[in-house]
Amino acid sequence: RKVEEEEGEEHKELVISLKALLRALRQYTIEHHGNGLAWNSAKKFAPKQEGPGAASIDTERQGYPAAEILKEYDSLIKDKVSSFRLAAEALDEEVVAIADVVEKAFKSQREMLAKVTKHKCPNKEEKLNDLLAPTTEYLGLIPHDCAE
């Protein structure tokens, strides 16, 4: 809100890119996690595969779209988070620092989603909290007055 009230094309671009990022995140969430995280319910897992979009072959055979979930999230980071980061670079160091934290939070969330696509939902809430901890830590780095 504070940035939105500022004058100048750079501030306007930052707000536009942030709104686009949030809309894209909302759409992604509706498409892939409309009823909560789309955990993999497969009983068997193929050996660990590495690389972007890597998913168990067994899960793909069962119709669980692990590769699609990760690919679309990667696109969101590449297109929207990067645009937001670029718009922030036109402003002061404080805004760039916040954009860095946002970018790290999205990348941390991507790591969590990769785990979600490969495993069943954990039985214990504390395991879920462990998965969310890195993202939570990054979000905690955003100054309080920026979140209002």
Side-chain angles (χ1 to χ4, degrees):
R1 206 175 274 183
K2 191 176 183 181
V3 173
E4 192 171 27
E5 294 170 0
E6 294 286 332
E7 292 184 24
E9 195 62 31
E10 295 88 4
H11 290 92
K12 183 178 178 181
E13 287 301 317
L14 181 70
V15 171
I16 289 170
S17 67
L18 178 58
K19 287 180 178 180
L21 168 60
L22 295 175
R23 284 186 193 109
L25 179 60
R26 180 177 186 264
Q27 187 61 37
Y28 170 85
T29 303
I30 289 169
E31 287 178 22
H32 295 289
H33 307 287
N35 294 321
L37 278 177
W39 291 91
N40 185 333
S41 61
K43 294 185 180 193
K44 293 182 179 179
F45 293 97
K48 184 177 178 183
Q49 297 178 10
E50 299 294 328
S56 165
I57 292 172
D58 288 342
T59 62
E60 295 300 331
R61 284 188 192 136
Q62 292 184 13
Y64 180 80
E68 179 185 340
I69 288 171
L70 295 175
K71 182 179 176 184
E72 288 190 27
Y73 195 81
D74 289 341
S75 291
L76 187 146
I77 290 174
K78 181 181 175 194
D79 298 339
K80 304 301 180 188
V81 176
S82 296
S83 294
F84 174 68
R85 176 75 170 77
L86 189 61
E89 288 176 0
L91 299 170
D92 62 46
E93 290 179 21
E94 182 182 3
V95 177
V96 172
I98 292 168
D100 283 341
V101 171
V102 168
E103 184 175 39
K104 288 175 183 175
F106 270 87
K107 288 181 178 179
S108 175
Q109 195 69 18
R110 198 273 186 208
E111 291 174 18
M112 188 213 62
L113 287 172
K115 291 175 184 173
V116 165
T117 63
K118 294 177 184 177
H119 301 283
K120 292 182 182 183
C121 183
N123 293 331
K124 296 184 179 181
E125 187 176 318
E126 61 191 52
K127 288 185 180 180
L128 180 59
N129 289 338
D130 290 345
L131 284 173
L132 293 170
T135 303
T136 302
E137 287 177 29
Y138 285 122
L139 293 176
L141 295 175
I142 297 174
H144 179 67
D145 59 347
C146 290
E148 294 179 352

